[in-house]
Coordinates of all heavy atoms in Angstrom, one line a residue:
M1 N -78.3 64.6 -92.9 CA -77.1 64.1 -92.3 C -76.2 65.2 -92.2 O -75.9 66.0 -93.1 CB -76.5 63.0 -93.3 CG -75.3 62.4 -92.8 SD -75.7 60.7 -92.3 CE -74.1 60.0 -92.3
P2 N -75.5 65.3 -91.0 CA -74.6 66.4 -90.7 C -73.4 66.3 -91.6 O -72.9 65.1 -91.9 CB -74.4 66.3 -89.3 CG -74.7 65.0 -88.9 CD -75.7 64.5 -89.8
E3 N -72.7 67.4 -91.8 CA -71.3 67.4 -92.4 C -70.3 66.6 -91.6 O -69.7 65.7 -92.1 CB -70.9 68.8 -92.6 CG -69.6 69.0 -93.3 CD -69.3 70.5 -93.5 OE1 -70.1 71.2 -94.1 OE2 -68.3 70.9 -92.9
L4 N -70.3 66.8 -90.4 CA -69.4 66.2 -89.4 C -70.3 65.9 -88.2 O -71.0 66.7 -87.8 CB -68.2 67.0 -89.1 CG -67.1 67.1 -90.2 CD1 -66.0 68.1 -89.7 CD2 -66.4 65.8 -90.5
L5 N -70.0 64.8 -87.6 CA -70.6 64.4 -86.3 C -69.6 64.1 -85.3 O -68.7 63.4 -85.4 CB -71.5 63.2 -86.5 CG -72.3 62.5 -85.4 CD1 -73.3 63.6 -84.9 CD2 -72.9 61.3 -85.7
Y6 N -69.8 64.9 -84.1 CA -69.0 64.6 -82.9 C -69.8 64.2 -81.8 O -71.0 64.7 -81.7 CB -68.3 66.0 -82.6 CG -67.3 66.6 -83.6 CD1 -67.8 67.4 -84.6 CD2 -66.0 66.3 -83.6 CE1 -67.0 67.9 -85.6 CE2 -65.1 66.7 -84.5 CZ -65.6 67.6 -85.6 OH -64.7 68.1 -86.5
A7 N -69.2 63.6 -80.8 CA -69.9 63.1 -79.6 C -69.0 63.2 -78.5 O -67.8 63.0 -78.5 CB -70.5 61.7 -79.7
V8 N -69.6 63.6 -77.3 CA -68.9 63.7 -76.1 C -69.8 63.2 -74.9 O -70.9 63.4 -75.0 CB -68.3 65.1 -75.8 CG1 -69.3 66.1 -75.7 CG2 -67.3 65.1 -74.7
S9 N -69.2 62.6 -73.9 CA -70.1 62.3 -72.8 C -69.2 62.4 -71.5 O -68.0 62.7 -71.6 CB -70.5 60.8 -72.9 OG -69.5 59.9 -72.8
D10 N -69.9 62.4 -70.4 CA -69.3 62.3 -69.1 C -68.4 63.4 -68.9 O -67.2 63.4 -68.3 CB -68.5 61.0 -68.8 CG -69.4 59.8 -68.9 OD1 -70.1 59.6 -67.9 OD2 -69.3 58.9 -69.8
I11 N -68.9 64.6 -69.1 CA -68.2 66.0 -68.8 C -68.1 66.2 -67.4 O -67.0 66.7 -66.9 CB -68.9 67.1 -69.5 CG1 -68.9 66.9 -71.1 CG2 -68.3 68.4 -69.3 CD1 -70.0 67.6 -71.9
H12 N -69.2 65.9 -66.6 CA -69.2 65.9 -65.2 C -68.7 67.3 -64.6 O -67.9 67.3 -63.6 CB -68.3 64.8 -64.6 CG -68.9 63.4 -64.7 ND1 -70.0 63.0 -64.2 CD2 -68.4 62.4 -65.6 CE1 -70.3 61.8 -64.5 NE2 -69.4 61.4 -65.4
G13 N -69.1 68.4 -65.3 CA -68.8 69.7 -64.7 C -67.4 70.1 -65.0 O -66.9 71.1 -64.5
G14 N -66.7 69.5 -65.8 CA -65.3 69.8 -66.2 C -65.3 70.9 -67.4 O -65.0 70.6 -68.5
Y15 N -65.6 72.1 -67.0 CA -65.6 73.2 -68.0 C -64.4 73.4 -68.8 O -64.5 73.4 -70.1 CB -66.0 74.4 -67.3 CG -66.3 75.7 -68.2 CD1 -67.4 75.8 -68.9 CD2 -65.2 76.5 -68.5 CE1 -67.6 76.9 -69.7 CE2 -65.3 77.6 -69.3 CZ -66.6 77.8 -69.9 OH -66.7 78.8 -70.8
D16 N -63.3 73.5 -68.1 CA -62.0 73.8 -68.8 C -61.6 72.6 -69.7 O -61.1 72.9 -70.9 CB -60.9 74.1 -67.9 CG -61.1 75.4 -67.0 OD1 -61.8 76.3 -67.6 OD2 -60.7 75.5 -65.9
R17 N -61.9 71.4 -69.3 CA -61.6 70.2 -70.3 C -62.5 70.3 -71.4 O -62.1 70.0 -72.5 CB -61.7 68.9 -69.4 CG -60.7 68.7 -68.4 CD -61.0 67.5 -67.7 NE -62.3 67.6 -67.2 CZ -63.0 66.6 -66.6 NH1 -62.5 65.4 -66.4 NH2 -64.3 66.8 -66.1
L18 N -63.8 70.6 -71.2 CA -64.8 70.6 -72.3 C -64.3 71.7 -73.4 O -64.3 71.5 -74.6 CB -66.2 70.9 -71.8 CG -67.2 71.0 -73.0 CD1 -67.3 69.8 -73.8 CD2 -68.5 71.4 -72.4
V19 N -63.9 72.9 -72.8 CA -63.5 74.0 -73.8 C -62.3 73.6 -74.5 O -62.2 73.8 -75.7 CB -63.2 75.3 -72.9 CG1 -62.6 76.3 -73.8 CG2 -64.6 75.8 -72.4
A20 N -61.2 72.9 -73.8 CA -60.1 72.5 -74.5 C -60.4 71.5 -75.6 O -59.9 71.5 -76.7 CB -59.1 72.0 -73.5
L21 N -61.3 70.6 -75.3 CA -61.7 69.6 -76.3 C -62.3 70.2 -77.6 O -62.1 69.9 -78.6 CB -62.6 68.5 -75.6 CG -63.0 67.4 -76.5 CD1 -61.9 66.4 -76.9 CD2 -64.2 66.6 -75.8
L22 N -63.4 71.0 -77.3 CA -64.1 71.6 -78.3 C -63.3 72.6 -79.2 O -63.4 72.7 -80.4 CB -65.4 72.4 -77.8 CG -66.4 71.5 -77.1 CD1 -67.6 72.4 -76.5 CD2 -66.8 70.4 -78.0
T23 N -62.4 73.4 -78.6 CA -61.5 74.2 -79.3 C -60.5 73.4 -80.2 O -60.2 73.6 -81.3 CB -60.7 75.2 -78.5 OG1 -60.1 74.6 -77.5 CG2 -61.7 76.2 -77.9
R24 N -60.0 72.3 -79.6 CA -59.1 71.5 -80.4 C -59.6 71.0 -81.7 O -58.9 70.8 -82.6 CB -58.7 70.2 -79.4 CG -57.7 69.3 -80.1 CD -57.3 68.2 -79.3 NE -56.4 67.3 -80.0 CZ -55.9 66.2 -79.4 NH1 -56.2 65.9 -78.3 NH2 -55.1 65.5 -80.1
Y25 N -61.0 70.6 -81.7 CA -61.6 70.1 -82.9 C -62.3 71.1 -83.6 O -63.1 70.9 -84.5 CB -62.6 68.9 -82.4 CG -61.7 67.8 -82.0 CD1 -61.4 67.4 -80.7 CD2 -61.1 66.9 -83.1 CE1 -60.6 66.4 -80.4 CE2 -60.3 65.9 -82.7 CZ -60.0 65.6 -81.4 OH -59.2 64.5 -81.1
G26 N -62.2 72.4 -83.2 CA -62.7 73.5 -84.1 C -64.2 73.8 -83.9 O -64.7 74.4 -84.9
L27 N -64.8 73.4 -82.9 CA -66.1 73.6 -82.7 C -66.5 74.9 -81.9 O -67.6 75.3 -82.0 CB -66.8 72.4 -81.8 CG -66.6 71.1 -82.6 CD1 -67.2 70.0 -81.8 CD2 -67.3 71.1 -83.9
M28 N -65.5 75.5 -81.4 CA -65.7 76.9 -80.6 C -64.4 77.5 -80.6 O -63.3 76.9 -80.7 CB -66.3 76.6 -79.4 CG -65.5 76.0 -78.3 SD -66.1 76.0 -76.7 CE -65.8 77.7 -76.0
Q29 N -64.6 78.9 -80.4 CA -63.3 79.7 -80.2 C -62.8 79.4 -78.8 O -63.5 78.9 -77.9 CB -63.6 81.2 -80.4 CG -64.1 81.9 -79.1 CD -65.5 81.6 -78.7 OE1 -66.2 80.8 -79.2 NE2 -65.9 82.4 -77.7
Q30 N -61.5 79.7 -78.6 CA -60.8 79.4 -77.3 C -61.2 80.2 -76.1 O -61.4 79.7 -75.1 CB -59.3 79.4 -77.5 CG -58.5 78.9 -76.3 CD -57.1 78.7 -76.6 OE1 -56.6 79.0 -77.7 NE2 -56.3 78.1 -75.7
D31 N -61.5 81.5 -76.4 CA -61.8 82.4 -75.3 C -63.3 82.2 -74.9 O -64.2 82.8 -75.6 CB -61.5 83.9 -75.7 CG -61.8 84.9 -74.6 OD1 -62.0 84.4 -73.4 OD2 -61.9 86.0 -74.9
A32 N -63.5 81.6 -73.9 CA -65.0 81.2 -73.6 C -65.3 81.6 -72.1 O -66.0 80.8 -71.4 CB -65.4 79.7 -73.9
R33 N -64.9 82.8 -71.7 CA -65.3 83.2 -70.4 C -65.8 84.6 -70.5 O -65.2 85.5 -71.1 CB -64.1 83.3 -69.4 CG -63.6 81.9 -68.9 CD -64.5 81.4 -67.9 NE -64.1 80.2 -67.4 CZ -64.8 79.4 -66.6 NH1 -66.1 79.7 -66.2 NH2 -64.4 78.2 -66.1
P34 N -67.1 84.8 -70.0 CA -67.9 83.9 -69.4 C -68.6 82.9 -70.5 O -68.5 83.2 -71.7 CB -69.1 84.7 -68.8 CG -69.1 86.0 -69.6 CD -67.7 86.2 -70.0
P35 N -69.1 81.9 -70.1 CA -69.6 80.9 -71.2 C -70.6 81.5 -72.0 O -70.9 81.0 -73.1 CB -70.2 79.7 -70.3 CG -70.3 80.3 -68.9 CD -69.3 81.3 -68.7
E36 N -71.4 82.4 -71.6 CA -72.4 83.1 -72.4 C -71.7 83.8 -73.7 O -72.5 84.2 -74.6 CB -73.1 84.2 -71.7 CG -74.0 83.7 -70.5 CD -73.2 83.6 -69.2 OE1 -71.9 83.8 -69.2 OE2 -73.8 83.3 -68.2
R37 N -70.5 84.0 -73.8 CA -69.9 84.6 -74.9 C -69.2 83.6 -75.9 O -68.7 83.9 -76.8 CB -68.6 85.5 -74.4 CG -69.2 86.6 -73.5 CD -68.0 87.5 -73.1 NE -67.4 88.1 -74.2 CZ -66.3 88.7 -74.2 NH1 -65.6 88.9 -73.1 NH2 -65.7 89.2 -75.4
A38 N -69.4 82.4 -75.6 CA -69.0 81.3 -76.5 C -69.6 81.4 -77.9 O -70.8 81.8 -78.2 CB -69.2 79.9 -75.9
E39 N -68.9 81.1 -78.9 CA -69.3 81.1 -80.3 C -69.0 79.7 -81.0 O -67.9 79.3 -80.9 CB -68.7 82.3 -81.1 CG -69.2 83.6 -80.6 CD -68.5 84.7 -81.5 OE1 -68.3 84.5 -82.6 OE2 -68.3 85.8 -80.8
W40 N -69.9 79.3 -81.7 CA -69.8 78.0 -82.4 C -68.9 78.3 -83.7 O -69.3 79.3 -84.4 CB -71.1 77.5 -82.9 CG -71.2 76.2 -83.6 CD1 -71.4 76.2 -85.1 CD2 -71.1 74.9 -83.2 NE1 -71.3 74.9 -85.4 CE2 -71.1 74.1 -84.3 CE3 -70.9 74.4 -82.0 CZ2 -71.1 72.6 -84.2 CZ3 -70.8 73.0 -81.8 CH2 -70.9 72.2 -83.0
T41 N -67.9 77.6 -84.0 CA -67.1 77.7 -85.1 C -67.0 76.4 -85.9 O -66.2 76.2 -86.7 CB -65.6 78.1 -84.6 OG1 -65.0 77.1 -83.8 CG2 -65.6 79.5 -84.0
G42 N -68.0 75.5 -85.6 CA -68.0 74.2 -86.2 C -68.8 74.1 -87.5 O -69.0 73.1 -88.0
G43 N -69.2 75.3 -88.0 CA -70.0 75.4 -89.3 C -71.3 74.4 -89.2 O -72.1 74.5 -88.2
A44 N -71.4 73.5 -90.2 CA -72.6 72.6 -90.2 C -72.5 71.3 -89.4 O -73.3 70.5 -89.5 CB -72.9 72.3 -91.6
A45 N -71.4 71.2 -88.6 CA -71.2 70.0 -87.8 C -72.3 69.9 -86.7 O -73.0 70.8 -86.4 CB -69.8 70.1 -87.1
T46 N -72.5 68.6 -86.3 CA -73.4 68.4 -85.1 C -72.6 67.8 -84.0 O -71.7 67.0 -84.2 CB -74.4 67.3 -85.5 OG1 -75.2 67.8 -86.6 CG2 -75.2 66.9 -84.3
L47 N -72.9 68.3 -82.8 CA -72.2 67.9 -81.5 C -73.3 67.3 -80.8 O -74.4 67.9 -80.4 CB -71.6 69.0 -80.8 CG -71.1 68.7 -79.3 CD1 -70.0 67.7 -79.4 CD2 -70.7 69.9 -78.6
V48 N -73.1 65.9 -80.3 CA -74.1 65.3 -79.5 C -73.4 65.1 -78.2 O -72.3 64.5 -77.9 CB -74.5 63.9 -80.1 CG1 -75.4 63.2 -79.2 CG2 -75.0 64.0 -81.5
V49 N -74.1 65.5 -77.1 CA -73.6 65.4 -75.7 C -74.4 64.3 -75.2 O -75.7 64.4 -75.0 CB -73.7 66.7 -74.9 CG1 -73.2 66.5 -73.5 CG2 -73.0 67.9 -75.6
V50 N -73.8 63.1 -74.9 CA -74.4 61.9 -74.6 C -74.5 61.7 -73.1 O -74.3 60.6 -72.5 CB -73.7 60.7 -75.2 CG1 -74.5 59.5 -75.2 CG2 -73.3 60.9 -76.6
G51 N -74.9 62.8 -72.3 CA -75.3 62.7 -71.0 C -74.1 62.9 -70.0 O -73.0 62.9 -70.4
D52 N -74.5 63.1 -68.8 CA -73.6 63.3 -67.6 C -72.7 64.5 -67.8 O -71.6 64.5 -67.6 CB -72.8 62.1 -67.3 CG -73.6 61.0 -66.8 OD1 -74.8 61.2 -66.5 OD2 -73.1 59.8 -66.9
A53 N -73.4 65.6 -68.2 CA -72.7 66.9 -68.4 C -72.4 67.6 -67.0 O -71.5 68.3 -66.9 CB -73.5 67.9 -69.2
I54 N -73.3 67.2 -66.1 CA -73.1 67.7 -64.7 C -72.6 66.8 -63.7 O -72.6 65.6 -64.0 CB -74.5 68.4 -64.3 CG1 -75.5 67.3 -64.1 CG2 -75.0 69.4 -65.2 CD1 -76.8 67.7 -63.4
D55 N -72.3 67.2 -62.5 CA -71.9 66.5 -61.3 C -70.5 66.3 -61.3 O -69.7 66.5 -62.3 CB -72.6 65.1 -61.4 CG -72.5 64.4 -60.0 OD1 -72.4 65.1 -58.9 OD2 -72.4 63.1 -60.0
K56 N -70.0 66.1 -60.0 CA -68.5 65.9 -59.7 C -67.6 67.0 -60.0 O -66.9 67.5 -59.1 CB -67.9 64.7 -60.5 CG -68.6 63.3 -60.2 CD -68.0 62.2 -60.9 CE -68.8 60.9 -60.6 NZ -68.3 59.8 -61.3
G57 N -67.6 67.6 -61.2 CA -66.6 68.8 -61.4 C -67.2 70.0 -60.9 O -68.3 70.1 -60.4
P58 N -66.3 71.1 -60.8 CA -66.7 72.3 -60.0 C -67.5 73.2 -60.8 O -67.9 74.2 -60.3 CB -65.2 72.8 -59.8 CG -64.4 72.4 -60.9 CD -64.9 71.0 -61.2
A59 N -67.8 72.9 -62.1 CA -68.5 74.0 -63.0 C -69.6 73.4 -63.8 O -69.7 73.8 -65.0 CB -67.4 74.6 -63.8
S60 N -70.5 72.7 -63.2 CA -71.6 72.2 -63.8 C -72.5 73.2 -64.5 O -72.9 73.0 -65.6 CB -72.5 71.2 -62.9 OG -71.8 70.1 -62.6
L61 N -72.8 74.3 -63.8 CA -73.6 75.4 -64.4 C -73.0 76.0 -65.5 O -73.6 76.3 -66.5 CB -74.0 76.4 -63.3 CG -74.9 77.5 -63.7 CD1 -76.2 77.0 -64.2 CD2 -75.1 78.5 -62.5
D62 N -71.6 76.3 -65.4 CA -70.9 76.8 -66.6 C -70.9 75.9 -67.8 O -71.1 76.4 -68.9 CB -69.4 77.2 -66.2 CG -69.3 78.4 -65.4 OD1 -70.3 79.2 -65.3 OD2 -68.2 78.5 -64.8
V63 N -70.9 74.6 -67.6 CA -70.9 73.6 -68.7 C -72.3 73.7 -69.3 O -72.4 73.8 -70.6 CB -70.6 72.2 -68.2 CG1 -71.1 71.1 -69.2 CG2 -69.2 72.0 -67.8
L64 N -73.4 73.7 -68.5 CA -74.6 73.8 -69.1 C -74.9 75.2 -69.9 O -75.5 75.2 -70.9 CB -75.7 73.6 -68.0 CG -75.8 72.3 -67.4 CD1 -76.9 72.3 -66.3 CD2 -76.1 71.1 -68.4
T65 N -74.4 76.3 -69.3 CA -74.5 77.5 -69.9 C -73.7 77.6 -71.2 O -74.2 78.1 -72.3 CB -74.1 78.6 -69.0 OG1 -74.8 78.6 -67.9 CG2 -74.1 80.0 -69.7
L66 N -72.6 77.0 -71.2 CA -71.8 76.9 -72.5 C -72.5 76.2 -73.6 O -72.6 76.5 -74.7 CB -70.4 76.2 -72.2 CG -69.5 75.9 -73.3 CD1 -69.0 77.3 -73.9 CD2 -68.4 75.0 -73.0
L67 N -73.0 75.0 -73.2 CA -73.7 74.2 -74.2 C -74.9 74.8 -74.7 O -75.2 74.7 -75.9 CB -73.9 72.7 -73.5 CG -72.7 71.9 -73.3 CD1 -73.1 70.7 -72.5 CD2 -72.0 71.5 -74.5
Q68 N -75.6 75.5 -73.8 CA -76.9 76.2 -74.3 C -76.5 77.3 -75.2 O -77.2 77.5 -76.3 CB -77.6 76.7 -73.1 CG -78.9 77.4 -73.4 CD -79.7 78.0 -72.2 OE1 -79.0 78.1 -71.2 NE2 -80.9 78.1 -72.4
T69 N -75.5 78.0 -75.0 CA -74.9 79.1 -75.7 C -74.5 78.6 -77.1 O -74.9 79.2 -78.2 CB -73.8 79.9 -75.1 OG1 -74.3 80.4 -73.8 CG2 -73.4 81.0 -75.9
L70 N -73.8 77.5 -77.1 CA -73.3 76.9 -78.4 C -74.5 76.4 -79.2 O -74.4 76.4 -80.5 CB -72.3 75.8 -78.2 CG -70.9 76.3 -77.6 CD1 -70.1 75.2 -77.2 CD2 -70.2 77.2 -78.6
E71 N -75.5 75.9 -78.5 CA -76.6 75.4 -79.2 C -77.3 76.4 -80.1 O -77.7 76.2 -81.3 CB -77.6 74.8 -78.2 CG -78.9 74.3 -78.8 CD -79.9 73.7 -77.8 OE1 -79.9 74.3 -76.6 OE2 -80.6 72.8 -78.1
G72 N -77.4 77.7 -79.5 CA -78.0 78.8 -80.2 C -77.1 79.2 -81.3 O -77.6 79.6 -82.4
S73 N -75.9 79.4 -81.0 CA -74.9 79.9 -81.9 C -74.8 78.9 -83.1 O -74.6 79.4 -84.3 CB -73.5 80.0 -81.3 OG -72.6 80.6 -82.1
A74 N -74.7 77.6 -82.9 CA -74.6 76.6 -83.9 C -75.8 76.6 -84.9 O -75.6 76.6 -86.1 CB -74.4 75.2 -83.3
G75 N -76.9 76.7 -84.3 CA -78.2 76.8 -85.1 C -78.3 77.9 -86.0 O -78.8 77.8 -87.1
A76 N -77.7 79.1 -85.6 CA -77.6 80.2 -86.4 C -77.0 80.1 -87.7 O -77.1 80.8 -88.7 CB -77.3 81.5 -85.6
I77 N -75.9 79.1 -87.7 CA -75.1 78.9 -89.0 C -75.2 77.5 -89.5 O -74.3 77.2 -90.3 CB -73.6 79.4 -88.6 CG1 -73.0 78.4 -87.6 CG2 -73.5 80.8 -88.3 CD1 -71.5 78.7 -87.4
G78 N -76.2 76.8 -89.2 CA -76.4 75.5 -89.8 C -75.9 74.3 -89.0 O -75.9 73.2 -89.5
G79 N -75.3 74.6 -87.8 CA -74.7 73.5 -87.0 C -75.8 73.1 -86.0 O -76.9 73.6 -86.0
R80 N -75.5 72.1 -85.2 CA -76.4 71.6 -84.2 C -75.7 71.1 -83.0 O -74.7 70.4 -83.0 CB -77.2 70.5 -84.9 CG -78.4 70.1 -84.0 CD -79.4 69.2 -84.9 NE -80.4 68.9 -84.1 CZ -81.1 67.7 -84.2 NH1 -80.8 66.9 -85.2 NH2 -82.1 67.5 -83.4
V81 N -76.3 71.4 -81.8 CA -75.8 70.8 -80.5 C -77.0 70.1 -80.0 O -78.1 70.7 -79.8 CB -75.3 71.9 -79.6 CG1 -74.9 71.3 -78.2 CG2 -74.1 72.6 -80.1
V82 N -76.8 68.8 -79.7 CA -77.9 67.9 -79.1 C -77.5 67.5 -77.8 O -76.4 66.8 -77.6 CB -78.1 66.7 -80.1 CG1 -79.2 65.8 -79.5 CG2 -78.5 67.1 -81.5
L83 N -78.4 67.7 -76.7 CA -78.0 67.3 -75.4 C -79.0 66.2 -74.9 O -80.2 66.4 -75.0 CB -78.2 68.5 -74.4 CG -77.4 69.7 -74.7 CD1 -77.9 70.9 -74.0 CD2 -76.0 69.5 -74.3
L84 N -78.4 65.0 -74.6 CA -79.1 64.0 -74.0 C -78.9 63.9 -72.6 O -77.9 64.2 -72.0 CB -78.7 62.8 -74.7 CG -78.7 62.6 -76.3 CD1 -78.1 61.3 -76.7 CD2 -80.2 62.9 -76.7
L85 N -79.9 63.4 -71.8 CA -79.8 63.2 -70.3 C -79.1 62.0 -70.0 O -79.4 60.9 -70.5 CB -81.2 63.4 -69.7 CG -82.0 64.6 -69.9 CD1 -83.3 64.4 -69.1 CD2 -81.3 65.7 -69.3
G86 N -78.2 62.1 -69.0 CA -77.5 60.9 -68.5 C -78.0 60.6 -67.1 O -79.0 61.3 -66.6
N87 N -77.6 59.6 -66.4 CA -78.1 59.3 -65.1 C -77.9 60.4 -64.1 O -78.7 60.6 -63.2 CB -77.5 58.0 -64.6 CG -76.0 58.1 -64.4 OD1 -75.3 58.3 -65.3 ND2 -75.6 57.8 -63.2
H88 N -76.8 61.2 -64.2 CA -76.6 62.3 -63.3 C -77.7 63.5 -63.4 O -78.0 64.0 -62.4 CB -75.2 62.9 -63.4 CG -74.1 61.9 -63.0 ND1 -73.7 61.8 -61.7 CD2 -73.4 61.0 -63.7 CE1 -72.8 60.9 -61.6 NE2 -72.6 60.4 -62.8
E89 N -78.0 63.7 -64.7 CA -79.1 64.7 -64.9 C -80.5 64.1 -64.4 O -81.2 64.8 -63.8 CB -79.3 65.0 -66.4 CG -78.1 65.9 -66.9 CD -77.0 65.2 -67.3 OE1 -77.0 63.9 -67.4 OE2 -75.9 65.8 -67.7
A90 N -80.7 62.7 -64.7 CA -81.9 62.3 -64.2 C -82.1 62.2 -62.6 O -83.1 62.5 -62.1 CB -82.0 60.8 -64.7
E91 N -80.9 62.0 -62.0 CA -80.9 61.9 -60.5 C -81.2 63.4 -60.0 O -82.1 63.5 -59.0 CB -79.6 61.5 -60.0 CG -79.3 60.0 -60.2 CD -77.9 59.7 -59.8 OE1 -77.1 60.5 -59.2 OE2 -77.5 58.5 -60.0
L92 N -80.7 64.4 -60.6 CA -81.0 65.7 -60.2 C -82.4 66.1 -60.4 O -83.0 66.8 -59.5 CB -80.0 66.7 -60.9 CG -80.3 68.2 -60.4 CD1 -80.0 68.5 -59.0 CD2 -79.4 69.1 -61.4
F93 N -83.0 65.8 -61.5 CA -84.4 66.1 -61.7 C -85.4 65.4 -60.9 O -86.3 65.9 -60.4 CB -84.8 65.9 -63.3 CG -84.2 66.8 -64.3 CD1 -83.5 66.4 -65.4 CD2 -84.2 68.2 -64.0 CE1 -83.0 67.4 -66.3 CE2 -83.6 69.1 -64.9 CZ -83.1 68.7 -66.0
A94 N -85.0 64.1 -60.5 CA -85.8 63.2 -59.7 C -85.8 63.7 -58.3 O -86.7 63.7 -57.6 CB -85.3 61.9 -59.7
D95 N -84.7 64.3 -57.8 CA -84.6 64.7 -56.4 C -83.6 65.9 -56.4 O -82.4 65.6 -56.0 CB -84.1 63.5 -55.6 CG -84.0 63.9 -54.1 OD1 -84.5 65.0 -53.7 OD2 -83.4 63.1 -53.3
P96 N -84.0 67.1 -56.7 CA -83.1 68.2 -56.7 C -82.3 68.6 -55.4 O -81.4 69.3 -55.3 CB -84.0 69.4 -57.1 CG -85.2 68.8 -57.7 CD -85.3 67.4 -57.1
G97 N -82.9 68.0 -54.2 CA -82.3 68.2 -53.0 C -81.4 67.0 -52.5 O -80.9 67.0 -51.3
N98 N -81.0 66.2 -53.4 CA -80.1 65.1 -53.0 C -78.7 65.6 -52.6 O -78.4 66.7 -52.9 CB -80.1 64.0 -54.0 CG -79.4 64.4 -55.3 OD1 -78.2 65.0 -55.2 ND2 -80.0 64.0 -56.4
D99 N -78.0 64.7 -52.0 CA -76.6 65.1 -51.5 C -75.8 65.5 -52.7 O -75.0 66.4 -52.6 CB -75.9 63.9 -50.9 CG -76.5 63.5 -49.5 OD1 -77.2 64.5 -49.0 OD2 -76.3 62.5 -49.0
K100 N -75.8 64.9 -53.9 CA -75.0 65.3 -55.0 C -75.4 66.7 -55.5 O -74.6 67.5 -55.9 CB -75.2 64.4 -56.2 CG -74.6 63.0 -56.0 CD -74.8 62.2 -57.3 CE -74.2 60.9 -57.2 NZ -74.3 60.1 -58.4
A101 N -76.7 67.1 -55.4 CA -77.1 68.4 -55.9 C -76.7 69.5 -55.0 O -76.6 70.6 -55.4 CB -78.6 68.4 -56.1
T102 N -76.6 69.2 -53.7 CA -76.3 70.2 -52.7 C -74.9 70.3 -52.2 O -74.5 71.4 -51.6 CB -77.2 70.1 -51.5 OG1 -77.0 68.7 -50.9 CG2 -78.7 70.2 -51.9
K103 N -74.0 69.4 -52.6 CA -72.7 69.5 -52.1 C -71.9 70.5 -52.9 O -72.2 70.9 -54.0 CB -72.1 68.1 -52.2 CG -71.7 67.7 -53.7 CD -70.9 66.4 -53.7 CE -70.6 66.0 -55.2 NZ -69.9 64.8 -55.3
D104 N -70.9 71.1 -52.3 CA -70.0 72.1 -52.9 C -68.9 71.3 -53.8 O -68.4 70.3 -53.3 CB -69.2 72.9 -51.9 CG -70.2 73.9 -51.2 OD1 -71.2 74.2 -51.8 OD2 -69.9 74.2 -50.1
G105 N -68.6 71.9 -54.9 CA -67.5 71.4 -55.7 C -67.9 70.1 -56.5 O -67.3 69.5 -57.1

């Protein structure tokens, strides 16, 4: 059982909002540009991302990179980041050339 359990969903590519949320609750440091430099500060906590990390917002790739970076950083100190697929991820995997996948912004 994790020390603390956090959950977030429907990020929709909103990188800055996600960083603000995670820093507010002490799960990462504030300076996270580029996202590959992010560091988990949540100790043994677990963060569950309950789908729809991508789509709509302007920074879906940055969101995924941030979460992947935090996953590795968390694991190194006893924390955990769990990513679940939502319908937006499923739509992209089912048809990577759909209008949502190819539109700007």
